[in-house]
Amino acid sequence: MTDKTLGQWAVDTHAGIYLRLMTWFDTDLIVAWRNSEQVRRNFVYQELFTREGHENWIRTMIETGKVVQMMICDLRGGRPLGSVYIRDIDRQHNKAEYGIFIGEPSARGRGVGTAAARLMLRYCFQEEKLHRIYLRAFSDNLQAIRSYEKAGFVREACLKDDVRIDGKYCDMIWMAAINPAREEQAGGGEMA
């Protein structure tokens, strides 16, 4: 059922999900999910997606290694439930931005997002050897913030009036997770 190239880290039997790499064949599903109001309203970029735009994303971001995007799939039957990704992968500073969306309404509110976030963090730390994974969430998206905290992200800041959506300024919560195996290598963070 799972993509054997990803390994055991990509499976959460308790949550009943696994991750596999996104392919071109997932394009129509990704576009439909991202254009649904339930998903779109939780993204800073709220323009409607197109097939052409997503195919360009694959060519310019996925295939160049600037982004790693995976599908969250149901362990029983392999049905895609959503997608998780890291973008803006910075090899100099060993960090990347995390993103997720649960496209299938039946998969929301039952721990799929939290489990997928844990799996993706494991991938980022073990396979990509990244030190820091960060994310931004709308401050009123309390369900997502709780899910991120359960997965291991910590709130670092509230960015006041950080983005403007439909003419209204919105606060963003900045969160991050540090690779526990590399935490001891982190500097004290003191500024000169």
Side-chain angles (χ1 to χ4, degrees):
M1 199 62 66
T2 62
D3 181 348
K4 294 191 187 305
T5 63
L6 294 181
Q8 282 303 102
W9 65 263
V11 179
D12 183 325
T13 54
H14 180 71
I17 65 163
Y18 69 93
L19 302 182
R20 67 164 171 81
L21 292 171
M22 185 198 68
T23 71
W24 287 85
F25 298 109
D26 298 310
T27 296
D28 291 335
L29 199 50
I30 294 283
V31 170
W33 285 339
R34 275 293 273 118
N35 286 339
S36 73
E37 179 60 25
Q38 181 71 26
V39 170
R40 195 169 53 87
R41 73 176 180 208
N42 291 311
F43 276 82
V44 172
Y45 179 80
Q46 296 196 348
E47 301 300 317
L48 292 177
F49 268 39
T50 63
R51 176 178 247 294
E52 295 77 22
H54 185 70
E55 288 173 347
N56 186 56
W57 167 265
I58 293 172
R59 276 191 303 279
T60 62
M61 303 302 279
I62 306 282
E63 290 180 351
T64 61
K66 295 176 184 173
V67 171
V68 174
Q69 187 164 359
M70 298 190 193
M71 299 298 285
I72 306 163
C73 298
D74 192 300
L75 210 46
R76 297 177 315 251
R79 181 174 66 105
L81 305 173
S83 184
V84 63
Y85 58 89
I86 54 169
R87 60 176 289 153
D88 300 327
I89 301 169
D90 179 342
R91 294 293 177 191
Q92 179 180 353
H93 301 291
N94 290 321
K95 64 182 182 175
E97 183 173 0
Y98 170 83
I100 186 174
F101 56 91
I102 305 300
E104 289 300 316
S106 65
R108 295 184 191 130
R110 58 181 181 102
V112 168
T114 302
R118 284 185 184 127
L119 291 174
M120 194 62 168
L121 283 176
R122 195 178 309 156
Y123 168 80
C124 291
F125 297 150
Q126 292 178 6
E127 304 298 321
E128 292 289 336
K129 307 293 188 219
L130 294 171
H131 175 71
R132 174 184 170 83
I133 305 300
Y134 61 91
L135 64 85
R136 298 171 293 160
F138 286 106
S139 63
D140 63 355
N141 192 351
L142 300 179
Q143 183 178 6
I145 292 167
R146 279 192 301 275
S147 174
Y148 299 141
E149 288 173 334
K150 288 180 196 173
F153 287 92
V154 175
R155 294 183 203 210
E156 293 187 335
C158 177
L159 307 176
K160 302 300 269 178
D161 291 347
D162 191 53
V163 297
R164 189 168 168 223
I165 306 292
D166 295 330
K168 179 184 169 213
Y169 287 98
C170 303
D171 297 348
M172 299 298 288
I173 301 298
W174 189 271
M175 303 179 78
I178 304 294
N179 186 339
R182 295 173 174 243
E183 235 172 19
E184 66 279 357
Q185 297 173 9
E190 291 185 34
M191 297 179 69

